């Protein structure tokens, strides 16, 4: 009995021990950043400011890794194309590589032109403002990660800069046109992501899984789909992943992507034809063909994310470093990013992902709707195409909202198709004589394996045969009443939809209010 109690106590404390381990590693990273920043050549009170800013920047970077990276690897993990450990390893490597290789040498000091620095009273005010914004954005991300809600890190820091700026110099300092665009992205991003993802899933169902010979259809369509993925991902990588070190036009990037896509098509089609006889005519077997493309997509999305979103953590830190080193604390329009600042961002994102990322990865990958490899492919395609299309149209979008919108898109399409199929089954049963179960089951078996076009023909013939009968005996009144209630299984968790939508809506105001409060506290302490 006593041994049993001891085992129960050990099990109860095991979770707490792992939490303490993660917190300990995170604390060691932040302390290391603070110690290094204290050795830099900055004199006076600027040295203390830099140490505090470096600590907050490292904290922000870890929270970006814990929350935002889930969008890149979540679908691949949820579809079992890759394990959680494999996803964490790939994402950590490619996030850091994207930040260090393609993160850029210069960032604007004021994120997205949210506030006008010329209206700030002094350089010290600017430093306090950016530190308050960094801390508020990081705290909000930490909270969102704790509840498993994927939110936009860009919106978190944008709201925080807005709130701290308003607290420092009033509402006139805010660029409200930029804020209007950001608010528009709350609607534009998930809608576009959902529409593109659902469109690709419907294409796959019509061209592969609704066909009688799925293997033959897959050998024909999968090389085209993977080539299309190679085309869009190459274009996306050149426009978004390498844009800070290599400026190319959208035409050049599209043509380069097309060349890669054609090469992938020429390579993959004969390989699949050679394997055709070894692939079973099942959806599960066809699903396996999307495994390798999904692994590549997770890596490339992580690289592009590291190149772009590392600025959310290190942009304000680089600006603060530039301000405390400049004569008179002047604020420049742009600030060079030293290597040590890039390392803080790259390592922080990777460490945060490894320590705290699995929770949000599970939310995106498996807790909204069930994902297989085909659906995960559609979400990855939606993530890249939406960003490319929206950026060329000048529409503001969020990569987080696009990816999560894509997950909801495929889930709601599955619900619609499931309900539609249930209605067709009810119609079939209603047009057969009561009690003729053999005929009903035989027809349903043929109907299930028929193509979409054949289903339409079968339903039309069934209706015609029913009309030609003088007195068609249908199901009993009670059974008929039951058939009218179309079975509709919910394939998307509404609780997750409400939680994530609420987190999106309050991200900017929550981080803004928090940043304003922190700024007032910092201002009071610094005198």
């Amino acid at each position: 009995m006593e041994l049993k109690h001891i085992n129960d106590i050990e099990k109860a404390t095991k979770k707490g021990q792992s939490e303490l381990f993660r917190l300990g590693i995170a604390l060691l990273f932040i302390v290391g950043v603070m110690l290094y920043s204290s050795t830099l050549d900055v004199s006076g009170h600027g040295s203390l400011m830099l140490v505090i800013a470096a600590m907050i920047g490292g904290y922000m970077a870890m929270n970006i890794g814990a929350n935002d990276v889930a969008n890149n690897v979540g679908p691949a993990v949820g579809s079992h194309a890759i394990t959680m450990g494999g996803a964490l390893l790939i994402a950590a490597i490619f996030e850091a590589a994207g930040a260090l290789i393609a993160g850029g040498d210069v960032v604007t000091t004021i994120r997205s032109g949210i506030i006008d620095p010329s209206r700030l009273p002094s350089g010290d005010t600017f430093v306090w403002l950016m530190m308050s914004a960094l801390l508020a954005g990081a705290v909000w991300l930490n909270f969102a990660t704790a509840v498993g809600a994927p939110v936009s890190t860009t919106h978190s820091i944008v709201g925080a800069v807005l709130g701290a700026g308003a607290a420092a110099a009033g509402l006139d300092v805010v660029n409200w046109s930029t804020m209007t665009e950001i608010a528009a992205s709350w609607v534009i991003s998930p809608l576009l992501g959902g529409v593109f993802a659902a469109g690709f899933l419907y294409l796959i169902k019509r061209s592969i899984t609704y066909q009688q010979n799925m293997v033959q259809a897959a050998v024909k369509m999968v090389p085209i789909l993977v080539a299309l993925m190679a085309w869009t991902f190459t274009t996306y990588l050149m426009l978004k992943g390498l844009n800070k070190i290599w400026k190319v036009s959208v035409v050049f990037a599209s043509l380069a992507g097309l060349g890669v896509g054609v090469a992938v098509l020429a390579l993959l089609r004969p390989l699949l034809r050679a394997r055709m006889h070894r692939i079973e005519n099942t959806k599960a077997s066809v699903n396996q063909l999307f495994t390798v493309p999904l692994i590549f997509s997770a890596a490339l999305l992580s690289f592009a994310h590291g190149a772009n979103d590392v600025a959310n953590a290190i942009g304000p830190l680089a600006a603060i470093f530039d301000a405390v080193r400049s004569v008179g604390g002047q604020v420049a329009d742009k600030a060079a990013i030293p290597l040590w600042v890039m390392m803080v961002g790259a390592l922080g994102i990777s460490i945060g992902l490894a320590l705290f990322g699995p929770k949000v990865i599970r939310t995106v990958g498996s807790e909204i709707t069930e994902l297989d490899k085909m659906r995960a492919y559609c979400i990855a395609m939606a993530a890249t195409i939406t960003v490319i299309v929206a950026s060329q149209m000048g529409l503001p979008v969020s990569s987080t909202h696009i990816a999560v919108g894509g997950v909801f898109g495929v889930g709601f399409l599955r619900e619609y198709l499931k309900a539609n199929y249930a209605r067709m089954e009810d119609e079939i049963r209603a047009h057969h004589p009561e009690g003729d179960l053999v005929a009903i089951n035989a027809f349903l078996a043929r109907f299930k394996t028929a193509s979409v076009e054949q289903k339409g023909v079968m339903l039309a013939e069934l209706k015609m045969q029913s009309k030609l009968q003088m007195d068609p005996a249908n199901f009993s009144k009670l059974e008929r009443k039951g058939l009218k209630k179309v079975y509709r299984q919910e394939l998307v968790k509404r609780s997750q939809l409400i939680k994530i939508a609420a987190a999106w809506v309050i991200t900017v105001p929550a981080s803004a209010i928090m940043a304003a409060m922190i700024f007032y506290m910092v201002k009071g302490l610094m005198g």
Side-chain angles (χ1 to χ4, degrees):
M1 198 64 160
E2 291 179 358
L3 286 174
K4 183 174 183 267
H5 289 319
I6 291 171
N7 289 333
D8 290 340
I9 292 170
E10 287 179 348
K11 288 177 183 178
T13 57
K14 192 172 183 180
K15 185 177 180 181
Q17 289 172 354
S18 64
E19 288 291 335
L20 282 173
F21 174 77
R22 286 198 290 268
L23 288 172
I25 296 295
L27 187 61
L28 281 175
F29 169 71
I30 292 175
V31 170
V33 171
M34 293 172 66
L35 289 174
Y36 181 83
S37 61
S38 67
T39 65
L40 297 173
D41 185 21
V42 178
S43 60
H45 74 287
S47 177
L48 176 61
M49 286 185 174
L50 181 60
V51 170
I52 296 171
M55 172 190 72
I56 300 171
Y59 176 51
M60 179 65 168
M62 284 196 295
N63 279 289
I64 290 175
N67 194 290
D68 215 26
V69 182
N71 310 310
N72 305 325
V73 299
V77 173
S79 65
H80 304 293
I82 188 171
T83 63
M84 179 67 77
L88 293 174
L89 180 63
I90 289 173
I93 292 171
F94 282 89
E95 285 280 340
L100 293 172
I101 296 171
D105 297 323
V106 175
V107 294
T108 54
T109 58
I110 307 299
R111 178 69 183 168
S112 302
I114 301 158
I115 60 174
D116 181 4
S118 64
R119 292 178 178 268
L120 298 176
S122 66
D124 282 349
T125 302
F126 169 76
V127 172
W128 299 339
L129 184 157
M130 297 308 283
M131 282 199 296
S132 302
L134 260 181
L135 182 57
V139 170
W140 172 250
L141 281 177
N142 199 335
F143 171 77
T145 303
V147 299
V151 296
S152 171
T153 56
T154 303
H155 289 184
S156 300
I157 196 68
V158 161
V161 171
L162 180 151
L171 292 174
D172 291 340
V173 77
V174 179
N175 186 339
W176 291 108
S177 62
T178 299
M179 293 309 303
T180 302
E181 291 181 354
I182 291 168
S185 74
W186 295 338
V187 178
I188 294 171
S189 300
L191 280 181
L192 285 179
V195 167
F196 276 119
F200 273 106
L201 182 59
Y202 188 68
L203 172 65
I204 289 174
K205 285 183 174 294
R206 286 292 299 262
S207 60
I208 299 177
T209 59
Y210 285 171
Q211 301 298 316
Q212 286 182 319
N213 192 334
M214 283 189 283
V215 175
Q216 187 176 358
V219 169
K220 178 183 176 181
M221 281 301 299
V222 169
I224 296 174
L225 292 170
V226 175
L228 184 61
M229 181 181 240
W231 182 4
T232 56
F233 268 74
T234 303
T235 305
Y236 176 82
L237 193 62
M238 294 180 73
L239 290 176
K240 293 294 176 183
L242 303 172
N243 63 324
K244 292 188 178 72
I245 60 172
W246 185 25
K247 295 287 185 182
V248 297
S249 67
V250 65
V251 175
F252 179 84
S254 299
L255 290 175
L258 179 61
V260 173
V262 170
V264 168
L265 179 64
L267 179 67
L268 191 57
R269 180 163 279 174
L271 287 176
L272 279 184
R273 284 175 178 166
R275 286 185 54 197
M276 185 174 174
H277 65 282
R278 288 179 289 177
I279 303 173
E280 295 181 15
N281 190 35
T282 62
K283 186 178 177 181
S285 295
V286 173
N287 243 309
Q288 295 300 321
L289 300 176
F290 290 87
T291 301
V292 174
L294 280 174
I295 295 172
F296 275 98
S297 75
L300 293 176
L301 283 172
S302 296
F303 183 90
H305 179 270
N308 279 284
D309 283 34
V310 69
N312 290 326
I314 66 169
L317 177 57
I320 292 169
F321 182 59
D322 186 71
V324 297
R325 293 183 67 192
S326 65
V327 178
Q330 294 180 350
V331 180
D333 289 336
K334 294 182 180 293
I337 304 180
L339 179 61
W340 76 269
V341 175
M342 294 291 291
M343 288 297 295
V344 168
L347 290 176
I349 287 176
S350 299
I351 291 171
L353 169 67
L355 296 178
F356 306 106
K359 186 165 188 175
V360 181
I361 289 174
R362 290 189 190 97
T363 297
V364 175
S366 59
E367 294 181 6
I368 296 174
T369 190
E370 183 184 351
L371 295 179
D372 60 15
K373 296 176 182 65
M374 293 180 190
R375 296 165 203 152
Y377 163 88
C378 298
I379 295 163
M381 287 295 294
T384 52
I385 290 180
T386 304
V387 171
I388 293 171
V389 171
S391 63
Q392 296 311 305
M393 294 175 66
L395 298 173
V397 291
S398 161
S399 59
T400 301
H401 295 187
I402 292 168
V404 177
V407 177
F408 281 111
V410 298
F412 283 126
L413 177 66
R414 291 176 62 219
E415 277 193 1
Y416 169 77
L417 294 176
K418 193 94 170 179
N420 195 46
Y421 190 81
R423 280 193 293 269
M424 288 190 289
E425 281 195 342
D426 289 343
E427 193 172 340
I428 291 167
R429 294 179 187 278
H431 285 84
H432 273 86
E434 183 177 355
D436 192 2
L437 290 178
V438 175
I440 292 173
N441 291 333
F443 190 92
L444 285 174
R446 286 187 289 116
F447 186 77
K448 188 174 182 180
T449 58
S451 66
V452 175
E453 292 78 11
Q454 289 171 332
K455 283 183 171 70
V457 172
M458 291 174 71
L459 281 173
E461 290 177 351
L462 189 63
K463 289 179 181 179
M464 183 62 67
Q465 291 171 4
S466 178
K467 287 178 182 179
L468 292 175
Q469 292 177 7
M470 295 297 294
D471 184 22
N474 292 330
F475 291 99
S476 66
K477 185 177 181 180
L478 184 62
E479 290 172 327
R480 207 159 46 240
K481 186 177 179 182
L483 289 173
K484 287 180 181 178
K485 296 179 181 177
V486 177
Y487 171 69
R488 183 173 180 267
Q489 181 183 2
E490 284 194 356
L491 301 175
V492 178
K493 292 183 180 177
R494 269 43 177 192
S495 59
Q496 291 288 355
L497 174 62
I498 294 169
K499 180 178 76 173
I500 292 171
W504 287 354
V505 171
I506 65 174
T507 288
V508 169
S511 56
I513 293 170
M514 204 180 304
M517 294 171 62
I518 294 172
F519 177 81
Y520 283 128
M521 286 190 290
V522 171
K523 187 177 179 181
L525 290 172
M526 304 299 288

